[in-house]
Each structure stands twice: as structure tokens, then as C-alpha cells.
Amino acid sequence: RKYDIQPIVTLFHFSTPAWFWEKENGLRGWERDDALEHFEIFVRAVVDAFGEEVIVWTTLNEPMVYVFNGYMEGIFPPLEQRDIIAAAPVVERLLEAHVIAYKIIHEAARKKSSKVLVGIAKHTRAFEPLRNWAALDRLSAATIDQAFIWDFLDAIETGTLKMTNTDVERKIPELEGTQDYVGINYYGRDYIESSIFDLTKPKIHFYDPNLPNEIRNDLDWALYPHGFYQVLSTAHQRYGKPIYVLENGLADGDEDDQQRQQFLVTHIREIWNAINHAGADIRGYMHWSLIDNFEWAEGFTARFGLVKTH
């Protein structure tokens, strides 16, 4: 505040206390009967401590990344491998947690006659067919795009969780419209390769294996600035809400930072395009990250920082 920097607070960015994973009536983590009660206590404590200083709040960071990596791929805690239907209760719980946080933050703001904006941070990518000539690749790419990016945001907008290519359809009490802004995280492009032998499990490539010279970061994620424009303009068209870019950056350990400089320029240009050509109401841009940091499954190997710290 002293330097006129506006803080944005994220309440859940994957970290939880160890005791949260102890079984309670046979359930652990977000599926415990008391999980939402504990989350409410935590949110009230944070809002009481920092509510006077914060206008923009993010309730959940990348919920589908958390569900996919933790409950389907098994590379984040709790290291489980379920199918999407078996993971649906966790998605539902995260939406319920969002509702709780949204209500607490707005309730506190009303008491002080102040204004706040509350949303989530949604991990997005440009999902594209590996083979444009393959109709199944195109269909699979569109399906993954909807399931991974838009299902969760649609649920907040409509109040009903509908999970693509499943029978899951659940009404979440008081969820509808609890999105004051759309939070977008964007890093690049994935290529989708379908298989006629198992249509339910298309292969996801972080880069095109047929393009060895494709520009990609140290995690082998293909860079694709125009996909950023596509995501931003689609979010604007679907929801008509203010947009905050909450993460956008590059894993790059080179000392000269030339690739990072190019990344920043090309991606900020796409924000300009989204504002001026698509009419998107983009209120802010947060680079990921100021410093090199712990990147979950990648540990300290992925250097996303503007400032080198190790």
C-alpha cells in the first residue's frame, strides 16, 4: 500500500495442513465431513486480518489442475488415480468452498460499505488437434477444452455443475453468479491426439512431436501467444465480466532472459489485442512469478521468476 501496489489474495493455492489428510469417518481432505467448516474458519480469519487492505480476492487457484493432478494423475497430494466421475465429489466440494468464501468476503465488505471483487484463478491452455485432418483429434480437443477450462467457470455462472461427457449434473446451493471477475492463468498450447482404440483416453502432448524446432519452455510446454488472445476473448464472450490475468509466465533458466523478454512482449500484445479487438474488460496482469519458487511436482527446477533466487 505504501508504494500504491494493490494486493490480490488467493485463499486456496493447493496447500493444506497435514491433519487435513487424516481420515475422518473414512474420508480425508476436501471430502471430510468437516472440511468446509474448517475452510470457513480459515477464510474468516484471513478476511478479519486483511479485509481492510484487499479489494480483489481469489478463492481457489486452478481447481481443475488440483483435481486432475491430485485425484486423476496422482502426481500431487493426495496421489490418487480416479476417473473423472469418481473425482466429481472433490470438484463439487471446491465449488461449495468457493461459495462460502464468496459470501464471507462480501458480507464483510457490506458491513464496511466497501467494494470487493471475488473470483477464481482458472488454468487455461490452447487445446488443439495434433492432426488437423483427423476429425477425432478436433473433437477430442474441443471436448477437453470444455471440460478442463469452461465446465468449472460455467458452474459458477449457472449454479449447476455439468461435467462434459459424463452424467454428472449437480445443483450447488447459492453458487449461481458468484463470479465478479474471471481469473485467467495461461502458459501455452497442448496438442490432442485421439485413438480409435480408446476414444475416452486421448493423448495430450505438451508440444508437437512432429515439430522439433517448436519454441517451448524448460518444461517442454509449447509457447503460443495467440492462444492467449483466444482464451481471453472467449472468456469475455461467454461471461461478459471483468478479467484479471492472474498468472502468465515462462519456465526458463537461461541467464540472459531473452526468451522471457520475448514471451512478455508477445503475450502482453495479445492482451492489447483482446482489449482493442475483442472488447474484453481486462483489469490487470500478474506475471508468474516475481521470484523463482517451488513449483509443486516440478520442485525448484522450473524457473518462472523475474528474479533469480537460487
Side-chain angles (χ1 to χ4, degrees):
R1 284 302 189 188
K2 178 181 176 182
Y3 295 102
D4 200 28
I5 297 172
Q6 179 176 304
I8 295 179
V9 171
T10 299
L11 292 166
F12 175 64
H13 196 136
F14 306 165
S15 300
T16 45
W19 56 257
F20 194 62
W21 298 101
E22 296 171 3
K23 284 192 175 180
E24 182 80 16
N25 296 326
L27 299 171
R28 59 189 188 139
W30 284 103
E31 294 171 289
R32 286 169 52 137
D33 293 337
D34 60 355
L36 295 179
E37 178 186 343
H38 285 300
F39 185 65
E40 180 175 349
I41 292 169
F42 165 70
V43 173
R44 289 192 184 280
V46 175
V47 172
D48 287 347
F50 301 110
E52 302 257 351
E53 302 295 327
V54 182
I55 296 171
V56 181
W57 293 83
T58 303
T59 59
L60 307 170
N61 175 75
E62 300 186 340
M64 291 309 295
V65 169
Y66 177 74
V67 171
F68 181 74
N69 285 333
Y71 290 86
M72 297 176 70
E73 288 292 292
I75 60 173
F76 283 9
L79 307 176
E80 295 184 9
Q81 292 182 315
R82 309 182 186 181
D83 62 27
I84 185 62
I85 294 175
V90 183
V91 180
E92 187 174 357
R93 271 301 174 89
L94 290 174
L95 286 166
E96 291 170 342
H98 167 77
V99 172
I100 287 170
Y102 185 92
K103 289 170 62 179
I104 290 171
I105 295 165
H106 274 278
E107 175 189 284
R110 278 193 300 272
K111 287 179 180 177
K112 295 167 183 169
S113 299
S114 58
K115 291 184 178 180
V116 289
L117 292 172
V118 183
I120 69 163
K122 192 72 191 68
H123 186 99
T124 67
R125 288 182 184 265
F127 292 104
E128 302 200 344
L130 179 66
R131 303 160 296 188
N132 274 319
W133 52 265
L136 283 177
D137 282 13
R138 296 199 301 272
L139 177 62
S140 294
T143 300
I144 291 173
D145 181 78
Q146 174 61 39
F148 188 77
I149 300 177
W150 308 111
D151 277 359
F152 202 93
L153 291 170
D154 286 350
I156 299 175
E157 198 69 13
T158 66
T160 300
L161 172 63
K162 295 181 180 180
M163 300 185 72
T164 298
N165 277 5
T166 74
D167 294 328
V168 174
E169 183 171 337
R170 295 173 188 168
K171 182 78 174 174
I172 311 293
E174 300 182 89
L175 175 64
E176 183 178 354
T178 56
Q179 181 168 243
D180 303 327
Y181 71 87
V182 181
I184 297 294
N185 296 357
Y186 179 83
Y187 290 96
R189 161 161 60 181
D190 284 353
Y191 297 90
I192 310 304
E193 181 181 11
S194 60
S195 169
I196 59 172
F197 301 108
D198 190 349
L199 297 177
T200 65
K201 294 182 179 178
K203 192 176 291 184
I204 300 174
H205 299 274
F206 290 153
Y207 63 92
D208 188 338
N210 302 312
L211 293 175
N213 295 322
E214 183 175 27
I215 299 173
R216 51 191 199 256
N217 71 12
D218 287 354
L219 296 175
D220 277 338
W221 298 353
L223 306 186
Y224 184 48
H226 184 61
F228 196 22
Y229 170 84
Q230 293 172 326
V231 166
L232 293 169
S233 58
T234 301
H236 167 66
Q237 290 160 9
R238 290 178 78 116
Y239 308 116
K241 300 275 178 74
I243 295 171
Y244 282 88
V245 176
L246 297 176
E247 288 186 28
N248 176 241
L250 177 75
D252 180 23
D254 286 350
E255 294 291 331
D256 65 7
D257 258 353
Q258 288 187 12
Q259 190 176 33
R260 181 169 284 111
Q261 293 168 24
Q262 184 181 41
F263 182 98
L264 281 163
V265 171
T266 55
H267 284 73
I268 292 172
R269 181 178 62 197
E270 296 301 337
I271 293 177
W272 187 94
N273 286 334
I275 293 169
N276 289 279
H277 296 299
D281 179 10
I282 301 174
R283 303 275 181 93
Y285 172 86
M286 267 53 68
H287 182 268
W288 189 266
S289 176
L290 174 63
I291 61 173
D292 290 332
N293 64 106
F294 180 71
E295 287 290 334
W296 303 103
E298 288 80 23
F300 291 101
T301 62
R303 296 179 180 271
F304 279 95
L306 290 173
V307 178
K308 178 180 177 181
T309 54
H310 60 281

